[in-house]
Amino acid sequence: MTPSLLYCDNAVRAGQLIDNYFTYIEGEYHIEQKPVKVTKDHVETVDQKVWDRPPEPATISGLAFYLGFNSRDELEAYRRAGPFAKALNRAVLRIEASYEAALHQNATGAMFALKSIGWNEKPPEPVNSNDNNNTLKVEIINTGPPPAGNEKDVPL
């Protein structure tokens, strides 16, 4: 069973649990010797990395799951008021940084992830407090002859 941040009793242990998540997602592998034929009579070996558990990307949901939260909402509530909120906020910032770095490789997925955590494409427009008049004034100007009611009213 994964240790839960909810039952953690000190900041050092909370930091270790969060660091363990980032170590966990790196995956696990072992090295095997793979034979490579150099010549007809001579065979050499090279080291080959074999994944026992492949690496996975850092995600906020993955962090929440690993730390023992039941939902992202629980994680967000803990980030606002939990005793180790500072450490958890840094972990989420680390995940956001990985999303930003991914913008250089696959922009679409990273943009979606960043937007889902509150990022915007454009900065918010400043609100001008001096402009209190929100009335739109429209003036209709008639130009040319009035429209005809039927074909008989049109002069040829």
Side-chain angles (χ1 to χ4, degrees):
M1 174 165 168
T2 303
S4 175
L5 185 66
L6 302 173
Y7 302 110
C8 195
D9 59 352
N10 65 57
V12 172
R13 179 69 181 132
Q16 288 172 343
L17 286 174
I18 291 169
D19 287 342
N20 289 348
Y21 167 70
F22 290 103
T23 301
Y24 174 80
I25 63 172
E26 291 174 359
E28 294 179 1
Y29 65 90
H30 66 276
I31 303 293
E32 290 183 357
Q33 298 291 319
K34 179 181 177 185
V36 178
K37 192 173 189 177
V38 177
T39 64
K40 183 177 178 183
D41 298 329
H42 181 65
V43 176
E44 290 184 6
T45 60
V46 294
D47 290 342
Q48 182 177 11
K49 187 186 289 188
V50 177
W51 290 100
D52 301 318
R53 187 177 43 79
E56 55 190 78
T59 63
I60 295 173
S61 297
L63 177 67
F65 182 75
Y66 186 86
L67 295 177
F69 292 99
N70 291 317
S71 68
R72 285 189 58 204
D73 291 337
E74 278 187 16
L75 175 88
E76 292 302 321
Y78 194 92
R79 282 181 63 195
R80 287 189 297 276
F84 308 115
K86 185 176 179 179
L88 196 53
N89 283 329
R90 286 191 53 81
V92 171
L93 185 63
R94 187 172 169 182
I95 293 170
E96 286 181 27
S98 70
Y99 291 159
E100 278 185 86
L103 285 171
H104 300 286
Q105 298 160 0
N106 177 8
T108 306
M111 284 174 28
F112 175 78
L114 289 169
K115 283 181 182 181
S116 72
I117 56 177
W119 284 45
N120 294 318
E121 283 186 48
K122 298 176 185 173
E125 293 187 23
V127 178
N128 188 354
S129 60
N130 295 336
D131 187 19
N132 293 332
N133 187 4
N134 293 335
T135 305
L136 176 63
K137 191 174 189 180
V138 177
E139 183 179 342
I140 299 175
I141 301 173
N142 289 329
T143 60
N150 62 43
E151 288 181 7
K152 294 177 184 175
D153 294 342
V154 178
L156 296 176

